[in-house]
Amino acid sequence: MTKTALITGITGQDGYYLSHLLLHQNYRVVGLVPPHRQPNLSKLGDLADKVEIYTVDLRDSTGLFTAVEQLQPQEIYNLAAPSFVPDSWHDPLGTLDLITGTATRLLDAIRQVGLSTRFYQASSSEMFGDVTVSPQDEETPFHPKNPYAAAKLHAHWTMVHHRQRYGLFACSGILYNHESPLRPPQFVTRKVSLAAASIKLGLAQSLEMGNLDAKRDWGFAGDHVNAMWRMLQVDEPEEYVIGTGKLHSVRELISTAFDSVGLDWQKYVIVNTNLLRADEHFQLVANPNKAKNNLGWEPQVSFEQLLDNMVKTDLQQLESGKIQPFIAVEHK
Ligand code: NAP
């Protein structure tokens, strides 16, 4: 029997990689997309004619109920979110409504329609926030530091409550940073890959950065969506921390990216001390042992392979005029 999977946020980075994985497994993939976001369907690229689009406002409980009732999905992946964290300070209520509201409305729809649909919630390592222990696992307490993280935590607990009270198959992945050539340029990995490729082609001269010693757990989006799918294939719905378990500094990120196009980063990177942030005492880094043991999940793409792919893709797309070069700030 062909399984149907519904995805919110299908036009995002993870939506693309998850759709790719599910189509490869012969799923019928349906994206739930509000009318005002449909100009962004072009972001689906080569998958645009392989997935179906169901038009519904994610703030509309009745509309989501009807979608679930009509489409009778075996799996729902709730990925939609304004995912660039600093933006959440500009619209905390809108962030809460989209992230928590959509999760709650979808869970209620599954319960009311009475299906055995399996539900995945895109939780985030941002929920750990001010950590006092490293690495973090499924037992680590949450201390969210921004409206995005608070909304994600609310959605996370709503998912847990629906599982405990109503017996739904609902679970979440607490995901650490994951990247790809589809990452928007405001994220540091893509900023660096685009700058390296632009400088290589003579389209930019320099890259301005803040704290080069900041460290992150960066993985590949294709690996992380694989974990999402695995969470819905096991017998028991549970939470899983998903990350590589390896920390890399921004300095390593830059040097690896510039290396992949044969450039010495130290000639091009300007450290702006105004952008420096205080050193973080404890780092956000995953302990993914539970996912390894229960799901058989492990990252397949290394940090070096990830950055090489990002920089080379940016290089090709700049050369073919598909994307705009990195715009550096002028320095006197
Ligand atoms: P992304 O590339 O920013 O994609 C976000 C998706 O949400 C896009 O499809 C976007 O639609 C949609 N969206 C945003 N605002 C919306 C709104 N008001 N109504 C309907 N749809 C809206 O994010 P991602 O990297 O794929 O991440 C997927 C999920 O994982 C997100 O929930 C994110 O918070 C979470 N997460 C990501 C990471 C990471 O490192 N990538 C880590 C932890 C958790 P448009 O295309 O129309 O903008």
Side-chain angles (χ1 to χ4, degrees):
M1 188 193 74
T2 303
K3 282 188 183 177
T4 297
L6 305 193
I7 304 178
T8 70
I10 196 167
T11 51
Q13 169 187 262
D14 291 5
Y16 177 89
Y17 285 99
L18 180 64
S19 297
H20 194 274
L21 180 152
L22 295 172
L23 288 167
H24 188 68
Q25 314 234 26
N26 293 320
Y27 277 73
R28 172 189 181 211
V29 177
V30 185
L32 301 182
V33 184
H36 67 284
R37 315 291 297 194
Q38 296 202 357
N40 296 335
L41 291 175
S42 61
K43 293 201 269 180
L44 282 163
D46 59 317
L47 302 186
D49 59 351
K50 299 186 178 73
V51 302
E52 293 171 39
I53 298 301
Y54 185 102
T55 303
V56 60
D57 188 332
L58 301 182
R59 295 166 301 181
D60 174 7
S61 304
T62 310
L64 288 177
F65 174 89
T66 306
V68 172
E69 191 180 40
Q70 284 181 357
L71 296 163
Q72 304 263 313
Q74 278 75 30
E75 296 173 13
I76 297 180
Y77 297 86
N78 183 32
L79 309 183
S83 67
F84 189 56
V85 174
D87 285 350
S88 68
W89 290 107
H90 304 306
D91 184 16
L93 205 52
T95 303
L96 183 74
D97 190 31
L98 181 67
I99 293 179
T100 312
T102 306
T104 310
R105 290 185 273 268
L106 282 170
L107 286 158
D108 277 343
I110 295 170
R111 178 173 66 82
Q112 287 171 25
V113 175
L115 295 172
S116 54
T117 305
R118 297 184 168 203
F119 178 86
Y120 172 83
Q121 171 59 25
S123 292
S124 166
S125 59
E126 283 284 323
M127 299 181 332
F128 290 129
D130 260 333
V131 283
T132 51
V133 59
S134 284
Q136 299 81 41
D137 64 20
E138 293 76 9
E139 306 304 321
T140 303
F142 298 117
H143 294 282
K145 285 198 293 190
N146 52 62
Y148 166 88
K152 283 284 182 190
L153 187 54
H154 193 159
H156 181 88
W157 281 119
T158 299
M159 178 281 302
V160 172
H161 297 156
H162 274 72
R163 184 174 70 214
Q164 290 175 342
R165 187 172 174 94
Y166 303 116
L168 299 190
F169 190 112
C171 64
S172 83
I174 305 171
L175 268 59
Y176 286 65
N177 297 66
H178 46 282
E179 320 294 318
S180 77
L182 299 180
R183 198 63 147 145
Q186 65 263 43
F187 290 87
V188 66
T189 47
R190 185 72 196 293
K191 176 180 173 180
V192 169
S193 74
L194 190 55
S198 302
I199 293 170
K200 178 70 181 174
L201 294 174
L203 301 171
Q205 283 70 47
S206 61
L207 167 65
E208 184 177 283
M209 297 292 293
N211 184 5
L212 302 191
D213 296 318
K215 293 192 174 88
R216 294 286 177 273
D217 179 334
W218 281 296
F220 171 51
D223 282 337
H224 285 46
V225 302
N226 186 289
M228 299 176 187
W229 176 75
R230 285 173 189 249
M231 279 175 225
L232 297 198
Q233 312 312 311
V234 291
D235 292 339
E236 292 298 323
E238 291 183 51
E239 285 70 71
Y240 288 94
V241 158
I242 302 295
T244 67
K246 292 180 185 150
L247 278 173
H248 292 280
S249 66
V250 173
R251 182 179 283 98
E252 287 175 84
L253 167 71
I254 297 168
S255 71
T256 308
F258 278 67
D259 269 359
S260 81
V261 281
L263 295 177
D264 174 3
W265 69 273
Q266 301 197 58
K267 291 185 183 159
Y268 304 99
V269 174
I270 297 155
V271 179
N272 182 347
T273 46
N274 292 329
L275 300 177
L276 289 179
R277 281 189 295 178
D279 274 349
E280 295 138 337
H281 192 54
F282 288 96
Q283 309 287 346
L284 264 184
V285 58
N287 172 356
N289 281 343
K290 181 176 169 187
K292 190 174 172 183
N293 295 334
N294 291 12
L295 307 176
W297 178 84
E298 277 189 273
Q300 303 297 312
V301 173
S302 70
F303 178 71
E304 291 75 18
Q305 289 168 326
L306 168 67
L307 284 165
D308 191 55
N309 180 20
M310 291 179 71
V311 177
K312 300 269 168 65
T313 306
D314 279 337
L315 207 55
Q316 281 167 8
Q317 295 203 331
L318 284 169
E319 282 175 321
S320 60
K322 284 191 185 149
I323 56 171
Q324 296 296 310
F326 173 76
I327 301 170
V329 178
E330 290 294 326
H331 295 283
K332 303 223 163 70

